[in-house]
Amino acid sequence: MIDWGMAAQAGIWALEILAIAVPVALSVAYITYFERRVIGWVQVRKGCNRVGWAGLLQPLADGLKLVLKETIIPKTANKYLFIAAPIMSLMPALMAFAVVPFGQTTLFGLWDVMHVMSMSNLNVGLLYIMAISSLSIYGVLMAGWASNSKYPFMGAMRATCQMISYEISMGFGLVTVMMLAGSLNLTDIVQAQAGGLFHWYMFPLFPMLIVYFISGCAETARTPFDLVETEELVSGYYTEYSGMWFATFSLAEYAAMILISLMTSILFLGGWYAPIPFLDFIPGTVWLLGKTALLIFVFIWFRATFPRYRYDQMMRLGWKVFLPWTLAWIAVVGIFIYTPGLDSIINFWMPWR
Amino acid sequence: MLESVFFNLFAGLSVLSGMGVVLSRNTMHSVMFLIFCFFNAAGLFFLLDAEFIGVIMILIYVGAVMVLFTFVVMMLEVNTARLREGFLQYLPLGGMIAIILMIEFVGAASSGVFSNPAIATAEHLPQSINNTEEIGQILYTQYLLGFEIAAIILLVALIGAIVLTLRTRKDAKHQKIAAQVAVRSEDRVRKVRM
């Protein structure tokens, strides 16, 4: 006997997964196009403008090319892990989207109460995001090891050192957000920032916004931290990959970039709230995605502007600059919260208190 | 019904992957099996409404500890044939430990502590009860001393590890970052009139 309630629930879950995974894949395709056009514009050249109107079909052509290419598995590679590595790097990038709240809606007045648009309204949402995004290292490590070749191995080593170093300062930066919001639930964190531009955490936590965004840049190995895939390493850990497996790695990288941008807008830029309350007639999701798009533009802008960090500079920035900085800011926020007199200042950002 | 399906899935997979850790010949495969095992253990915590511990399990064990494990295993060239040389020599000791553990497990399972019917039929907690808050409240009030002692032990271990591995090398080249940042274009580029 089939339990119809359970079957319906499974169907809803499948639809929810598709409703997130398909737009993410599509936006990854068009971010690559956007990136090439923007960098072309910054460097005073055209960028891709031949396939389709203004080059809009370029991502499809690229995708088709990658699918049709032969997938080569090196003879000395560890076959199982070589094939598993791209999947292991894509999986956490997509899994993290499960707790991201995309806005609040009454479905145009159909429901009486506001519903949060997220697959799972987890109480430990922020920790979940941190845990899942720390798993993306394994794809890189496995790709480097399973290829059984020098350059991928060195690239994987560098990537691991980089990700471990920056994860710590990233986590400490988020502790200040937890202190102000008093919750690990992403929806609560956004709702604590309601009430206009000055309630956003970008004001009391401005140094942490900078640390989080730059660490996010390092986590996704984007320029200026792309020393894991430089020319000197012949594109680092995915040297030996070709065709669709190669594309899976870049899919994971761009999905992680979207996630970092989404998280920065949720944690520091007021999530789905408008900067001025009377602009709230525009749906929250539009605001959230608009902020995210702006941050993705900043990522691309970085790539067009900054030269690459050297390995020792990258390690120095993570351990000697960001880590003391975040620890000091945790102390500052803590002192503000518990000192009589000063707490009236910080209470402006802690409406739940 | 769904819950017991998930329990059996997680429990079965964690036992299987635990066996994989011990039985696989490639050390890298063992590490991957161990990671998978941690995932399933985290899943079991989620089923018990202990979502904080489940997520922390993934964050600490899979996200940090196992990365270092993998890192070290990658660097080492492990010769499995030589590792198996002392197998018979260690067999009695290992076997004894295994038997003692087995007896302990059976004893604990049949002691009656876990056969309390209230545990088996306990309802799930509502979402409004926040695991993180409950743990934090008890940790920072009732168990504050233990918590602080654990923190100091960790700090001592951290400093100890740094002291043990720190060696000042005379020939190491250091970068003066301030001097590098202070460089202006005039210091490096000379304009030549052609």
Side-chain angles (χ1 to χ4, degrees), chain A residues 121 123 135 138 141 312 316, chain B residues 39 62 66 74 127 175:
Chain A
N121 194 6
N123 271 337
L135 300 182
Y138 286 108
L141 261 176
D312 64 307
R316 175 182 168 273
Chain B
F39 260 110
V62 183
M66 288 314 291
M74 269 168 83
Q127 214 204 357
Q175 309 284 339

Side-chain angles (χ1 to χ4, degrees), chain A residues 78 81 88 121 123-124 127 130-131 134-135 138 141-142 145 153 157 160 164 184 310 312-313 316, chain B residues 26 28-29 32 35 39 51-52 55 59 62-63 66-67 70-71 74-75 127 129 132 175 177 180:
Chain A
N78 186 321
L81 289 178
M88 278 197 284
N121 194 6
N123 271 337
V124 285
L127 275 180
M130 278 163 70
S134 71
L135 300 182
Y138 286 108
L141 261 176
M142 285 304 118
W145 184 80
F153 191 74
M157 289 281 127
T160 316
I164 293 175
L184 291 174
R310 212 171 50 214
D312 64 307
Q313 291 169 333
R316 175 182 168 273
Chain B
N26 192 326
M28 212 55 170
H29 291 175
M32 295 322 284
I35 292 167
F39 260 110
E51 73 249 11
F52 182 75
V55 167
L59 188 65
V62 183
M66 288 314 291
V67 173
T70 322
F71 212 68
M74 269 168 83
M75 303 281 226
Q127 214 204 357
I129 291 180
T132 321
Q175 309 284 339
I177 300 290
Q180 288 182 352

Side-chain angles (χ1 to χ4, degrees), chain A residues 148-168:
Chain A
N148 206 355
S149 143
K150 284 190 205 85
Y151 294 120
F153 191 74
M154 284 167 70
M157 289 281 127
R158 281 189 182 185
T160 316
C161 291
Q162 178 171 326
M163 285 179 182
I164 293 175
S165 318
Y166 281 87
E167 216 155 76
I168 293 172

Side-chain angles (χ1 to χ4, degrees), chain A residues 187-220:
Chain A
T187 313
D188 290 348
I189 290 173
V190 174
Q191 280 165 354
Q193 302 178 64
L197 185 66
F198 292 107
H199 284 272
W200 295 359
Y201 288 158
M202 59 184 273
F203 289 103
L205 302 178
F206 185 69
M208 296 303 104
L209 168 66
I210 303 290
V211 168
Y212 184 78
F213 196 68
I214 294 177
S215 302
C217 225
E219 280 260 308
T220 51

Side-chain angles (χ1 to χ4, degrees), chain A residues 13-330:
Chain A
W13 279 337
L15 280 180
E16 281 177 334
I17 290 169
L18 278 182
I20 290 177
V22 172
V24 166
L26 276 179
S27 46
V28 164
Y30 275 90
I31 285 169
T32 59
Y33 167 77
F34 183 58
E35 178 164 33
R36 289 164 74 176
R37 290 303 295 242
V38 168
I39 293 180
W41 171 60
V42 172
Q43 296 171 344
V44 203
R45 55 186 174 82
K46 294 265 190 223
C48 48
N49 65 349
R50 280 289 168 269
V51 189
W53 183 75
L56 272 172
L57 293 179
Q58 184 70 42
L60 298 183
D62 285 344
L64 191 67
K65 187 190 88 173
L66 284 166
V67 171
L68 293 179
K69 281 214 169 187
E70 185 190 354
T71 309
I72 301 163
I73 299 175
K75 214 175 178 181
T76 54
N78 186 321
K79 212 171 176 182
Y80 301 110
L81 289 178
F82 188 83
I83 290 172
I87 301 166
M88 278 197 284
S89 68
L90 182 62
M91 233 163 38
L94 290 180
M95 264 165 77
F97 282 95
V99 294
V100 174
F102 286 95
Q104 272 177 321
T105 181
T106 55
L107 206 69
F108 308 108
L110 205 65
W111 293 322
D112 293 331
V113 284
M114 286 285 211
H115 282 257
V116 178
M117 297 159 68
S118 67
M119 270 185 74
S120 165
N121 194 6
L122 208 61
N123 271 337
V124 285
L126 194 51
L127 275 180
Y128 173 86
I129 295 261
M130 278 163 70
I132 295 298
S133 61
S134 71
L135 300 182
S136 56
I137 299 176
Y138 286 108
V140 175
L141 261 176
M142 285 304 118
W145 184 80
S147 300
N148 206 355
S149 143
K150 284 190 205 85
Y151 294 120
F153 191 74
M154 284 167 70
M157 289 281 127
R158 281 189 182 185
T160 316
C161 291
Q162 178 171 326
M163 285 179 182
I164 293 175
S165 318
Y166 281 87
E167 216 155 76
I168 293 172
S169 42
M170 206 169 180
F172 276 131
L174 295 185
V175 168
T176 55
V177 174
M178 300 173 199
M179 285 163 87
L180 284 193
S183 173
L184 291 174
N185 188 325
L186 291 171
T187 313
D188 290 348
I189 290 173
V190 174
Q191 280 165 354
Q193 302 178 64
L197 185 66
F198 292 107
H199 284 272
W200 295 359
Y201 288 158
M202 59 184 273
F203 289 103
L205 302 178
F206 185 69
M208 296 303 104
L209 168 66
I210 303 290
V211 168
Y212 184 78
F213 196 68
I214 294 177
S215 302
C217 225
E219 280 260 308
T220 51
R222 298 273 309 170
T223 334
F225 300 98
D226 62 343
L227 72 174
V228 302
E229 46 193 70
T230 55
E231 290 82 15
E232 90 222 26
L233 291 181
V234 210
S235 82
Y237 57 87
Y238 46 65
T239 304
E240 306 287 351
Y241 283 87
S242 63
M244 213 47 221
W245 284 136
F246 172 78
T248 312
F249 274 118
S250 24
L251 192 64
E253 183 191 324
Y254 280 88
M257 188 170 109
I258 298 174
L259 184 76
I260 294 284
S261 308
L262 260 175
M263 290 306 293
T264 314
S265 5
I266 285 173
L267 298 171
F268 296 100
L269 303 179
W272 54 76
Y273 289 115
I276 310 163
F278 79 83
L279 283 174
D280 267 336
F281 64 88
I282 301 170
T285 312
V286 176
W287 281 112
L288 181 62
L289 296 182
K291 288 167 189 172
T292 309
L294 179 77
L295 289 171
I296 289 172
F297 172 75
V298 176
F299 264 115
I300 295 167
W301 190 8
F302 273 9
R303 178 164 173 183
T305 309
F306 292 123
R308 187 176 290 141
Y309 263 74
R310 212 171 50 214
Y311 184 73
D312 64 307
Q313 291 169 333
M314 185 268 292
M315 292 306 260
R316 175 182 168 273
L317 184 71
W319 290 102
K320 291 188 179 171
V321 181
F322 281 174
L323 192 57
W325 203 358
T326 45
L327 284 173
W329 209 256
I330 290 175

